[in-house]
Amino acid sequence: MVQLKRYRSLTTKLLIGYVSLLLIVFGSTSIVSEKLIGARFVSTVDESLLRQAKLIADNYPNPVTHIAHSLGLRISIIDSYGTVLVESEENPQAMEQHLDRPEVKTALVRGQGFSSRFSSTLGTSLRYAALYQDGIIFRVAIPLTMVNNSLIQLRTISFLATAFAIFFGSIFAFAWNKKILNPLTEITDVAEAIARGNLSSRISTTGTDEIATLATSFNLMADRLSLTISDLTGERNKLNAVITSMADGLITIDSNKNITVINPQACNLFNFTSNPVGSPLWQMIRTPEVITAFTNALENGQLVSQQFSLWVQGERQMEIRSIPLKDENNQIIGAVGVIHDLTEIKRLERVRRDFVSNVSHELRTPLTSVNGFIETLRDNELDRETELHFLEIMYTETQRMINLISDLLTISRLESGHTTLKKAVFPIEPLWRELEMLFLAKADQKGLTLDFQGKLDIYGDRDQIKQILINLIDNAIKYSDKGSIIIAAKQDPRNITLSVTDKGPGIPAEEHSRLFERFYRVDKARSRAQGGTGLGLSIVKHIAEEHNGKPFVKSNPGEGSTFGVELPLPESWYIK
């Protein structure tokens, strides 16, 4: 709105300028005209008075009083010594010498003289004209009020003419200003509309003058500005989308270490409940490593990397990489820091180390055993019974390695995501019979009974679900020495639960969270003695997750254990 006021002020200024110019021109003209016309008028009066004086001189010594009264003149006849001989308005004998009067002096020298002055005799201002002829001065005077009235009329006419000229000139000037300044006002309005964000506003262009050229140039500038802003808005939206969707936290600061940009991930990491943009970095973040990384980036102008620990729902390992921001003059104007969560990477590195260590250990033990027996058989002559015993141990250890490698391949396939589930609806009862035939002999050897419970349909990959139950039943038989093993299938409104319950030794609660990790064993010595690979429950977990389900365990020392999985039902199966 400031520019709009400025243009209205310009209209007023131009109008005042026009009026002032008219005043100066007409005022000067009036003054000069008055001077010229006034001088001409006085000259005309002088000539008239001089003619009257000549007429009186030609008729002298005839009486002049009746002439003076009829013409409204004052007539005086003065000799060359200044003595008043005849006076139309006063007694000449009572009048003083007039030789010092300006018009008399001039007339004696030049033959005629004129002057305007106050007459003490009549008490009024008069215009005098004196004619010197035949040794006598004939003086005629007329009151200046007549002259002044004429001049006043002249001034009145000049004033009225000037007033009319100024009035109509102002109207014309105002209309002309509007014509000239309306396009400028429109340019102002459009500029303000664009400044408020209405980028579609444009100026209507007519004519071919400079203002029309300005309007065309302005519209072209507005088009380019709109295109530029559109491009910048698109780029900003893309940048905001990238920053917002980043898995890592991002913080940008200026040269004063005030936060200028922060994404939601960084806000969550540092538990910000309000927007920290504009706040000092040191006030909002109390982690020394983060402050140090940004400070070093600003001061040294180089990439800085720092690792630190952060408590966000438990301890998390983090890394910040900060790099300076520079302007077109290569001056540092701020810094940007990307905060990466290394917790999962560290965990995976630990898992990888543990995996390599566990696999190495699991393979080394049977290989060492097999290698020892081979060396014994090679270097010694043994009886047939001993050889068969050694061969049986070697076979057992070899099977153990084959099982281990098979389980490793299964886990690798599940974790790679290359497994394609062949989901279908199938009844559970045929699967119960297959599992019973598979484990009946093994259970009988330990005096265990298998109790299959539940008659329902299941939606999932039959082979994968069978693998889950094989691993759970196999573990239950290995760790149970008495009683029965219950294999059950149950359905609730949203899930199907498959579980295997044994009467084994039970597992402490503090061990439950790690039971489904690879190679984790509660009783390592007993597990190896039973021939387990430590991968069975890990495979169960992966298969359950492939079905969008989850594994579970319920166990207490001395009370047996229940292992199982919960598999979600298709939505069309939901029990309302």
Side-chain angles (χ1 to χ4, degrees):
M1 296 304 292
V2 175
Q3 290 186 346
L4 186 57
K5 291 180 180 178
R6 183 180 303 167
Y7 281 120
R8 285 176 177 169
S9 175
L10 180 59
T11 303
T12 304
K13 288 178 180 178
L14 288 176
L15 185 59
I16 291 174
Y18 284 132
V19 173
S20 299
L21 181 60
L22 290 173
L23 281 173
I24 293 172
V25 171
F26 282 94
S28 300
T29 302
S30 297
I31 293 173
V32 172
S33 299
E34 182 182 348
K35 293 292 183 182
L36 292 175
I37 295 173
R40 180 61 181 168
F41 182 77
V42 171
S43 176
T44 301
V45 170
D46 289 346
E47 290 176 359
S48 177
L49 291 175
L50 197 61
R51 284 195 302 272
Q52 299 295 333
K54 179 68 175 172
L55 179 62
I56 293 170
D58 292 340
N59 292 319
Y60 187 77
N62 294 328
V64 297
T65 304
H66 67 283
I67 297 175
H69 290 164
S70 63
L71 297 177
L73 301 176
R74 178 186 179 186
I75 299 175
S76 302
I77 300 176
I78 306 167
D79 63 15
S80 57
Y81 299 102
T83 303
V84 179
L85 302 177
V86 177
E87 170 61 46
S88 63
E89 300 295 332
E90 292 289 337
N91 183 6
Q93 285 77 21
M95 297 180 66
E96 59 184 6
Q97 292 287 326
H98 279 45
L99 194 62
D100 59 343
R101 301 298 193 267
E103 67 278 7
V104 174
K105 288 182 179 180
T106 304
L108 289 173
V109 176
R110 298 180 180 178
Q112 58 187 26
F114 306 93
S115 69
S116 296
R117 57 187 171 77
F118 182 80
S119 173
S120 58
T121 303
L122 299 180
T124 185
S125 295
L126 300 174
R127 178 66 179 177
Y128 293 93
L131 175 66
Y132 184 59
Q133 182 176 319
D134 300 331
I136 297 175
I137 299 171
F138 297 92
R139 189 181 71 172
V140 179
I142 187 173
L144 282 178
T145 53
M146 298 176 61
V147 176
N148 291 337
N149 289 337
S150 298
L151 291 178
I152 288 172
Q153 290 179 357
L154 176 63
R155 290 193 191 100
T156 302
I157 293 171
S158 297
F159 174 78
L160 291 175
T162 302
F164 277 111
I166 291 174
F167 177 74
F168 289 108
S170 298
I171 294 176
F172 174 79
F174 180 78
W176 187 254
N177 283 347
K178 293 290 289 182
K179 180 179 180 180
I180 294 176
L181 295 180
N182 275 346
L184 295 180
T185 302
E186 184 182 2
I187 292 175
T188 302
D189 294 338
V190 172
E192 290 179 349
I194 291 175
R196 289 192 297 267
N198 184 7
L199 301 180
S200 62
S201 294
R202 293 295 182 272
I203 303 168
S204 58
T205 57
T206 56
T208 58
D209 57 8
E210 290 81 357
I211 294 179
T213 302
L214 174 63
T216 302
S217 301
F218 186 93
N219 286 340
L220 180 60
M221 180 190 69
D223 291 338
R224 292 180 177 175
L225 178 63
S226 178
L227 181 60
T228 301
I229 291 177
S230 178
D231 291 341
L232 290 175
T233 301
E235 293 298 324
R236 183 189 63 186
N237 291 338
K238 290 178 184 178
L239 181 60
N240 288 338
V242 170
I243 291 174
T244 303
S245 62
M246 286 177 60
D248 298 330
L250 182 138
I251 300 175
T252 300
I253 64 171
D254 58 20
S255 56
N256 296 321
K257 298 182 182 179
N258 295 322
I259 298 174
T260 56
V261 176
I262 186 168
N263 68 348
Q265 287 73 15
C267 290
N268 293 334
L269 285 175
F270 294 101
N271 292 324
F272 292 147
T273 56
S274 60
N275 191 349
V277 172
S279 302
L281 181 69
W282 60 267
Q283 184 176 345
M284 303 304 298
I285 298 176
R286 303 301 176 89
T287 306
E289 292 84 356
V290 175
I291 305 298
T292 301
F294 276 109
T295 301
N296 291 342
L298 287 175
E299 294 177 354
N300 301 329
Q302 297 177 348
L303 174 66
V304 179
S305 178
Q306 292 270 354
Q307 292 190 10
F308 61 97
S309 296
L310 196 65
W311 284 91
V312 182
Q313 296 178 350
E315 185 178 12
R316 306 184 72 84
Q317 299 298 316
M318 314 298 293
E319 179 187 41
I320 180 171
R321 295 172 65 85
S322 182
I323 191 171
L325 297 173
K326 298 181 180 180
D327 60 13
E328 64 275 8
N329 299 320
N330 206 34
Q331 298 296 315
I332 296 176
I333 58 174
V336 58
V338 178
I339 303 169
H340 184 51
D341 190 346
L342 300 179
T343 305
E344 185 63 17
I345 294 176
K346 295 288 187 182
R347 188 190 70 81
L348 292 175
E349 288 179 353
R350 185 175 64 254
V351 169
R352 181 183 58 81
R353 290 193 301 268
D354 292 344
F355 177 77
V356 172
S357 175
N358 289 329
V359 170
S360 300
H361 181 75
E362 293 293 338
L363 290 175
R364 184 175 63 249
T365 300
L367 284 174
T368 300
S369 176
V370 170
N371 184 64
F373 285 116
I374 290 175
E375 289 178 351
T376 301
L377 291 173
R378 184 191 63 185
D379 298 334
N380 299 285
E381 292 184 5
L382 303 174
D383 58 72
R384 184 59 180 169
E385 183 179 353
T386 303
E387 289 179 352
L388 291 175
H389 176 66
F390 284 178
L391 290 172
E392 182 65 28
I393 295 175
M394 290 168 62
Y395 174 79
T396 301
E397 296 296 339
T398 303
Q399 287 298 121
R400 179 179 169 187
M401 287 187 289
I402 292 173
N403 292 338
L404 175 62
I405 293 172
S406 177
D407 287 349
L408 288 172
L409 291 174
T410 299
I411 286 182
S412 176
R413 185 175 67 254
L414 291 171
E415 289 184 342
S416 67
H418 295 159
T419 301
T420 301
L421 298 180
K422 299 177 182 179
K423 291 186 177 182
V425 179
F426 62 92
I428 196 67
E429 293 178 83
L431 186 57
W432 286 160
R433 290 193 292 271
E434 293 175 20
L435 294 170
E436 185 177 18
M437 292 180 63
L438 183 61
F439 288 104
L440 185 58
K442 194 173 183 180
D444 287 343
Q445 288 179 2
K446 299 189 68 173
L448 301 172
T449 59
L450 301 178
D451 183 8
F452 293 91
Q453 300 178 359
K455 296 179 181 180
L456 47 81
D457 291 336
I458 294 180
Y459 177 73
D461 188 315
R462 190 179 191 279
D463 292 338
Q464 296 281 28
I465 292 175
K466 181 178 179 180
Q467 185 64 54
I468 289 175
L469 293 170
I470 288 174
N471 289 3
L472 295 179
I473 296 171
D474 187 58
N475 280 350
I477 292 174
K478 286 177 182 177
Y479 293 98
S480 298
D481 296 323
K482 61 180 180 178
S484 63
I485 296 174
I486 301 172
I487 304 97
K490 297 179 181 179
Q491 180 176 336
D492 61 27
R494 296 298 176 94
N495 299 290
I496 287 179
T497 302
L498 302 177
S499 62
V500 177
T501 303
D502 62 48
K503 300 295 184 181
I507 303 169
E510 60 270 16
E511 304 283 352
H512 290 183
S513 61
R514 301 194 61 188
L515 287 175
F516 294 93
E517 293 181 8
R518 288 176 292 188
F519 297 111
Y520 185 77
R521 297 182 176 90
V522 178
D523 187 346
K524 295 179 175 56
R526 180 172 182 180
S527 179
R528 288 196 180 94
Q530 297 291 342
T533 63
L535 298 173
L537 291 179
S538 182
I539 292 173
V540 168
K541 175 186 175 184
H542 280 87
I543 294 176
E545 291 175 349
E546 286 286 325
H547 284 76
N548 297 320
K550 61 181 179 180
F552 67 87
V553 58
K554 299 176 182 178
S555 181
N556 288 307
E559 299 179 3
S561 303
T562 298
F563 285 85
V565 294
E566 291 182 352
L567 305 178
L569 291 171
E571 290 188 8
S572 60
W573 288 23
Y574 286 177
I575 299 175
K576 304 299 183 182

